[in-house]
Amino acid sequence: MNGADRLCDGLLANGIDVCFANPGTSEMHFVAALDRKPAMRCVLGLFEGVVTGAADGYGRMAGKPAATLLHTGPGLANGLANLHNARRAHTPIVNVVGDHATYHLSYDAPLTSDIESLARPMSKWVGRVASSEAVGATVSEAVRAAVETPGIATLILPADCAWGAVEPAVIEPAAIHPPRAVDAGTVREVAEAMRAHRGRVGLVLAGKATRADALEVAGRIAAGFGARLFGEVLSARTERGRGRVPVERIPYPIDAALATLKDIDLLILVGGQEPVAFFAYPGKPSRLIPEGCPVLTLAEPAEDQRGALEALADELGIARSAAAIEVSPNADLGAPSGALTDEAISRIVATLLPEQAIVCDEGLTSGRSFFAHSQSVAPHDYLMIPGGAIGLGIPMATGAAIACPDRKVVSLQADGSGMYTVQGLWTQARERLDVVTVIYSNRAYAILRLEMQNVGAGHFGRNAERMLDIDDPALDWVSLARGMGVEAARAESCETFRDLFAAALRRRGPFLIEAVL
Amino acid sequence: MNGADRLCDGLLANGIDVCFANPGTSEMHFVAALDRKPAMRCVLGLFEGVVTGAADGYGRMAGKPAATLLHTGPGLANGLANLHNARRAHTPIVNVVGDHATYHLSYDAPLTSDIESLARPMSKWVGRVASSEAVGATVSEAVRAAVETPGIATLILPADCAWGAVEPAVIEPAAIHPPRAVDAGTVREVAEAMRAHRGRVGLVLAGKATRADALEVAGRIAAGFGARLFGEVLSARTERGRGRVPVERIPYPIDAALATLKDIDLLILVGGQEPVAFFAYPGKPSRLIPEGCPVLTLAEPAEDQRGALEALADELGIARSAAAIEVSPNADLGAPSGALTDEAISRIVATLLPEQAIVCDEGLTSGRSFFAHSQSVAPHDYLMIPGGAIGLGIPMATGAAIACPDRKVVSLQADGSGMYTVQGLWTQARERLDVVTVIYSNRAYAILRLEMQNVGAGHFGRNAERMLDIDDPALDWVSLARGMGVEAARAESCETFRDLFAAALRRRGPFLIEAVL
């Protein structure tokens, strides 16, 4: 056996049995090793952004890392934007990057580049395998790094470390510490501050604090103490729907975000960072909370967020049997008819959403109304792009479908951002994944048109139009999908859209609906 | 006016009047400024790899830089693979990356990342604008850095430096030094070594040494002195065809490369690096020349390669009126018929190639035979992927067509690598570019199948097949092209292919032929 076999064994020993891959020549020994391990599911992406975005979607839903397989610096580079999203989502990924043989690097062959420099901004851990015999220890370290905090561990595998012989050995799983418990002092300090600001306290829930069980605890705090519960601007994964405690989403548009938080006097962070303005705007603040509002951290991303909420509830004297905040049922979503609008699509999708669907939302401006309409519909998971790097939606839906083969994935996708990693549709077809993609086809970078107005440019000339509109030529998403083996159809009315969406939900396998706005 | 206006003026003052763009919110002031400059041609790419690859193709053919416009770290990341290719091609590019406002960075908003760490591996110069008033000086520095060596200058533009007011000013073009002349001592040393190894000398021509005028000089040296002329494994731009001095291409496969160079006793580099094995293989050398073979540099990439060749010819006593090596006319390319093969496509393309075509070759395994068949056909430029990062072909053809609107661009494209940046077809349609794309549709990563055999894995199991074949589902390139507004047709026989290719050459505008192998 060789170093590549050892790497596969190490991954499998740690329960990592899915590898999203786009290999090249320097990874051929790893491919040959994977070929000897039928327990590993290898999923090919036709572009590395598909690979890393799928690993993100998989990791969020599986609760454990996938491995990736990328080819040298440029292959890693192509995957970095979605690694950026995964980093912000705190998704565990063991990101394997093949490199030249150690002795070949000094010759500066064409594909040589500084992989570490490329990897560091998106990785919490970067390690280079030093020898074939070192593979076992390095993969353990990578797995531990990926799982414990959690985040992206980039493991660089030189070709000669992959092909060099090693002695067979039994591989032990890495020793993983469970999430750290929050210490009692922090809980007391937070509770004390909350009592001092009663009535004007907000909790920002992130990480595992947005799972149903933790939300239930937060809901008891909200009901028993009076705090407001916020989700992040772009959350990694929120369990929502009927019977679950809702969070208010902090809006993306700066003015709406400021208005949402204007009455908060104390902000408590549970598993995430302080929410700040997505971008800076002339004359507007970077922070979203009122000046002087203190921010306390109840639990870090690497800590036990649910446990921290339970301790906080106890500290605040809220009985474990107390009721969580009441969820008001959705207003009637109606039966939209006639010409399609963003709003109508959101209502129809929310109405028809099946139980335990996984909603991947990269609808951007078009998707915003979905959140408002879907709090009390069928229970579902809701995944966004926490890093704001567009081009995650299609790959994330792909990875989520592999993690949860028995659940329907609904991929709400803006057209402009969908084009970044459109190749992911092919992987959906190849793996027969149960994903319904809805393309909001507005033929513009609509979010940028709004942002141009925010910067005071009301009238657009030719150069601006040429950079903000994508209507010439119009993208034909039905052709694009079919070109990659995904069945597709176009809807221009609410009636057609409802029929297509309902039909897509009834069958298994990938389907794409181009919703023309 | 503001800092963004100053940046536009600085680019225009230096003759940079094409901007390949994929902007985001932090670049809206730059977009607004571009909107006030009709002299700047803004070309949108639906993915950043299209933007940077087009800037590479443009820079190689225009002989001057284009600007890019990318959105923060993830936008840059998406463009890095083709910047890697551009770096290896020594293409001048002023790579503009927008970032958050300076004061916003400390809040670690979602799109924040270490842009410098991402940019450095692919850039010869990285600079961050410090203030609106500093924009003028920084853009001059960037232009000088991009043009003089030449290579990629990454200019990071914080949003507040773009939107901050500046005083109107006349912008002077940057003071650019012409390529350095090679000193006489180096020329004498090279000539002396050549005389000592007469009969076993090879010159590797790169950079401007592969333009017709410099090739003519090299051809006189080859004829008058007896040296062999080599091109790089993957050259950036070679002027080839009838009446031009040919170079031997150093093959990509390691064994063929070693065989090609086995009789060389002295290697002279003109404008490039020593050619080495593309990858390391167990038991095979990294260097391609025989052990002990000295390597001398006649001219660096930043030096005057043609001048150096002329000085060398003089030093060797070769008359300026002497004849260059004779070019043997091509063997008859015949009229292939029946089922399509790589070889048949190469013959047909070579036969029909129009005068002054620009051939962008990312055909990889399928394209290899084109080079052999095209030495004596119509004069053309031949562009490859010097960095080996696949996904350059379609964008490079796009940029070349913008640089040279009166020349036909023939884009020879492998299917696997074409998918990486397939979005470039949309830009070809939008800009009505005169590009004929030929997809070698073999439905496999054929190069990797060969490489797997090189590593000794003769039989492929399921996992390997799943990573090397892309036949399930088959990509339908005609649908993909039409989905992006590019007319397309499929050829399964030589006769159909010839008819389609001839028809595509007769018309203007983008056309794609899926050649099914």
Side-chain angles (χ1 to χ4, degrees):
Chain A
M1 69 184 294
N2 61 27
D5 290 299
R6 176 67 54 82
L7 174 55
C8 293
D9 289 344
L11 293 170
L12 287 168
N14 284 287
I16 300 173
D17 54 7
V18 172
C19 179
F20 295 98
N22 185 285
T25 299
S26 40
E27 291 73 56
M28 285 299 100
H29 286 87
F30 190 39
V31 170
L34 289 166
D35 205 28
R36 294 187 281 271
K37 313 286 171 190
M40 183 71 79
R41 180 173 180 183
C42 295
V43 179
L44 180 63
L46 294 187
F47 176 70
E48 292 89 345
V50 175
V51 168
T52 53
D56 185 9
Y58 176 92
R60 292 194 210 176
M61 292 311 302
K64 66 176 186 175
T68 63
L69 173 49
L70 303 174
H71 178 46
T72 74
L76 169 62
N78 281 335
L80 283 173
N82 277 338
L83 289 177
H84 173 87
N85 286 319
R87 172 172 80 100
R88 293 290 183 184
H90 298 285
T91 306
I93 296 176
V94 177
N95 183 44
V96 181
V97 182
D99 196 8
H100 287 307
T102 50
Y103 61 83
H104 195 60
L105 282 174
S106 64
Y107 297 103
D108 195 29
L111 271 166
T112 310
S113 64
D114 183 347
I115 297 180
E116 278 85 347
S117 185
L118 296 171
R120 264 185 223 111
M122 312 314 186
S123 310
K124 61 184 293 286
W125 180 93
V126 179
R128 179 179 281 270
V129 171
S131 69
S132 300
E133 281 299 345
V135 167
T138 312
V139 70
S140 280
E141 212 184 324
V143 172
R144 199 162 49 236
V147 173
E148 280 190 357
T149 306
I152 297 156
T154 296
L155 185 154
I156 303 168
L157 179 67
D160 53 341
C161 301
W163 79 52
V166 297
E167 290 299 315
V170 176
I171 310 287
E172 298 293 334
I176 308 283
H177 295 102
R180 289 194 308 274
V182 170
D183 69 86
T186 300
V187 175
R188 269 197 306 275
E189 191 188 329
V190 167
E192 201 168 306
M194 285 176 70
R195 288 193 197 96
H197 293 89
R198 188 185 286 267
R200 298 169 78 86
V201 175
L203 275 69
V204 182
L205 305 178
K208 294 219 167 132
T210 56
R211 305 295 171 82
D213 54 357
L215 285 169
E216 184 67 27
V217 185
R220 282 196 285 118
I221 294 171
F225 182 82
R228 284 166 71 189
L229 303 180
F230 297 105
E232 295 182 296
V233 178
L234 298 172
S235 92
R237 176 180 171 189
T238 303
E239 291 183 344
R240 305 178 68 236
R242 212 166 34 238
R244 289 170 175 172
V245 170
V247 294
E248 291 182 65
R249 184 173 152 203
I250 299 171
Y252 171 95
I254 173 82
D255 293 331
L258 291 167
T260 298
L261 294 170
K262 74 176 166 37
D263 296 326
I264 294 300
D265 272 359
L266 172 67
L267 202 68
I268 309 294
L269 306 179
V270 190
Q273 293 175 240
E274 179 188 332
V276 296
F278 217 84
F279 293 104
Y281 301 90
K284 297 190 175 170
S286 287
R287 298 181 73 177
L288 300 175
I289 46 177
E291 253 186 84
C293 170
V295 179
L296 295 179
T297 297
L298 175 67
E300 302 276 358
E303 292 177 323
D304 173 12
Q305 290 114 28
R306 180 188 163 177
L309 285 167
E310 282 173 344
L312 179 63
D314 290 348
E315 182 68 31
L316 291 169
I318 297 162
R320 298 213 167 193
S321 57
I325 46 170
E326 296 260 326
V327 184
S328 50
N330 263 352
D332 181 11
L333 293 171
S337 63
L340 265 181
T341 61
D342 302 343
E343 171 75 20
I345 293 171
S346 294
R347 287 173 185 267
I348 295 168
V349 170
T351 303
L352 298 181
L353 200 68
E355 296 272 330
Q356 296 304 324
I358 300 166
V359 179
C360 295
D361 186 355
E362 194 173 76
L364 307 184
T365 53
S366 297
R368 282 180 192 163
S369 59
F370 175 80
F371 190 89
H373 290 310
S374 53
Q375 184 50 55
S376 297
V377 301
H380 61 279
D381 278 84
Y382 182 70
L383 281 57
M384 301 187 80
I385 51 166
I390 59 175
L392 174 60
I394 294 171
M396 177 163 67
T398 304
I402 286 174
C404 303
D406 300 327
R407 298 173 66 176
K408 198 84 183 180
V409 177
V410 176
S411 178
L412 302 177
Q413 183 61 58
D415 54 354
S417 49
M419 280 304 289
Y420 280 64
T421 46
V422 65
Q423 304 93 337
L425 292 174
W426 182 84
T427 302
Q428 294 180 9
R430 183 181 188 77
E431 302 288 334
R432 278 75 170 166
L433 302 180
D434 201 14
V435 181
V436 184
T437 303
V438 176
I439 301 290
Y440 295 96
S441 183
N442 64 12
R443 295 161 185 185
Y445 288 127
I447 199 164
L448 296 185
R449 295 190 71 96
L450 293 173
E451 297 285 23
M452 273 294 272
Q453 282 154 2
N454 282 342
V455 307
H459 171 77
F460 304 151
R462 178 177 163 80
N463 269 347
E465 293 280 1
R466 297 291 282 177
M467 287 193 280
L468 304 180
D469 284 345
I470 56 175
D471 60 335
D472 173 25
L475 291 163
D476 172 350
W477 279 90
V478 174
S479 288
L480 289 171
R482 288 181 184 160
M484 287 179 276
V486 169
E487 285 186 74
R490 185 171 291 118
E492 301 191 352
S493 71
C494 288
E495 291 77 0
T496 311
F497 179 77
R498 183 182 294 105
D499 289 349
L500 287 172
F501 190 65
L505 293 176
R506 280 193 302 269
R507 64 203 280 287
R508 279 189 67 85
F511 193 85
L512 180 143
I513 304 171
E514 179 178 357
V516 178
L517 299 174
Chain B
M1 70 184 293
N2 61 26
D5 290 300
R6 176 68 54 81
L7 175 54
C8 292
D9 289 344
L11 293 170
L12 287 168
N14 284 287
I16 300 172
D17 54 7
V18 171
C19 179
F20 295 99
N22 185 285
T25 298
S26 40
E27 292 72 57
M28 285 299 100
H29 287 86
F30 189 41
V31 170
L34 290 166
D35 206 26
R36 295 187 281 271
K37 313 285 172 191
M40 183 70 80
R41 179 173 181 184
C42 294
V43 179
L44 180 64
L46 295 186
F47 177 70
E48 292 88 347
V50 175
V51 168
T52 53
D56 184 10
Y58 176 92
R60 291 193 210 177
M61 292 311 302
K64 65 176 186 177
T68 64
L69 174 48
L70 304 174
H71 178 46
T72 73
L76 169 62
N78 281 335
L80 283 173
N82 277 339
L83 289 177
H84 173 87
N85 286 318
R87 172 171 80 100
R88 293 289 182 185
H90 298 286
T91 305
I93 297 176
V94 177
N95 183 44
V96 180
V97 182
D99 196 9
H100 286 307
T102 50
Y103 62 83
H104 196 60
L105 281 174
S106 64
Y107 297 102
D108 195 29
L111 272 165
T112 309
S113 64
D114 183 347
I115 297 180
E116 278 85 347
S117 184
L118 296 171
R120 262 185 224 111
M122 313 314 186
S123 309
K124 59 185 294 286
W125 180 94
V126 179
R128 179 178 281 269
V129 171
S131 69
S132 301
E133 282 299 344
V135 167
T138 312
V139 70
S140 280
E141 212 184 324
V143 171
R144 200 162 48 238
V147 173
E148 280 190 356
T149 305
I152 296 156
T154 296
L155 184 153
I156 303 168
L157 178 67
D160 54 340
C161 301
W163 78 52
V166 297
E167 291 299 317
V170 176
I171 310 287
E172 299 293 334
I176 309 283
H177 296 101
R180 290 193 309 274
V182 170
D183 68 86
T186 300
V187 174
R188 269 198 306 274
E189 192 188 329
V190 167
E192 202 167 305
M194 285 175 70
R195 287 194 197 96
H197 293 88
R198 189 184 285 266
R200 299 169 77 86
V201 175
L203 274 69
V204 181
L205 305 178
K208 294 220 167 130
T210 55
R211 305 295 171 83
D213 55 357
L215 285 168
E216 184 67 27
V217 184
R220 283 196 284 119
I221 295 171
F225 182 82
R228 284 165 72 189
L229 303 180
F230 297 105
E232 294 181 298
V233 177
L234 299 172
S235 92
R237 176 181 171 187
T238 303
E239 292 183 346
R240 306 178 68 239
R242 211 164 35 236
R244 289 171 174 171
V245 170
V247 294
E248 291 182 64
R249 184 173 153 203
I250 299 171
Y252 171 95
I254 175 82
D255 293 330
L258 291 168
T260 298
L261 295 170
K262 74 177 166 34
D263 296 325
I264 295 299
D265 271 358
L266 171 68
L267 202 67
I268 309 293
L269 306 179
V270 190
Q273 294 175 240
E274 179 188 331
V276 297
F278 218 84
F279 293 103
Y281 301 90
K284 296 192 176 170
S286 288
R287 298 181 73 178
L288 301 175
I289 47 179
E291 254 186 84
C293 169
V295 179
L296 296 180
T297 298
L298 175 66
E300 301 276 358
E303 293 178 322
D304 173 12
Q305 289 114 27
R306 179 187 162 177
L309 286 166
E310 283 172 343
L312 179 63
D314 290 349
E315 182 69 30
L316 291 169
I318 297 163
R320 298 213 166 192
S321 58
I325 46 170
E326 296 259 327
V327 184
S328 50
N330 263 353
D332 181 11
L333 294 170
S337 63
L340 265 181
T341 62
D342 303 342
E343 171 78 19
I345 293 171
S346 294
R347 287 173 186 267
I348 295 168
V349 170
T351 303
L352 297 181
L353 200 68
E355 296 271 331
Q356 295 306 324
I358 300 166
V359 179
C360 295
D361 185 354
E362 194 174 76
L364 306 184
T365 53
S366 296
R368 282 180 191 163
S369 59
F370 176 79
F371 190 90
H373 291 310
S374 54
Q375 184 49 55
S376 297
V377 301
H380 61 280
D381 278 84
Y382 182 69
L383 282 58
M384 301 186 80
I385 52 166
I390 59 175
L392 174 60
I394 294 172
M396 176 163 67
T398 305
I402 285 174
C404 303
D406 300 327
R407 298 172 66 176
K408 198 84 184 180
V409 177
V410 175
S411 178
L412 303 177
Q413 183 61 58
D415 54 355
S417 49
M419 280 303 290
Y420 280 64
T421 46
V422 65
Q423 304 93 336
L425 292 173
W426 182 84
T427 302
Q428 293 180 9
R430 183 180 187 78
E431 302 288 334
R432 278 75 171 165
L433 301 180
D434 202 14
V435 181
V436 184
T437 302
V438 175
I439 301 290
Y440 295 96
S441 183
N442 64 13
R443 296 162 185 185
Y445 288 127
I447 198 165
L448 296 185
R449 294 190 73 95
L450 293 174
E451 297 286 22
M452 273 293 272
Q453 283 155 2
N454 282 342
V455 308
H459 170 76
F460 303 152
R462 178 177 164 81
N463 270 345
E465 292 281 1
R466 296 291 282 177
M467 287 193 279
L468 304 180
D469 283 346
I470 57 175
D471 60 335
D472 172 24
L475 291 163
D476 173 351
W477 279 90
V478 174
S479 287
L480 289 171
R482 288 181 184 161
M484 287 179 276
V486 169
E487 285 185 74
R490 185 170 292 118
E492 302 192 350
S493 71
C494 290
E495 291 78 0
T496 310
F497 179 78
R498 183 183 293 104
D499 289 349
L500 287 171
F501 190 64
L505 294 177
R506 280 194 301 270
R507 65 202 282 285
R508 278 189 66 85
F511 193 86
L512 180 143
I513 304 170
E514 179 178 356
V516 178
L517 299 173

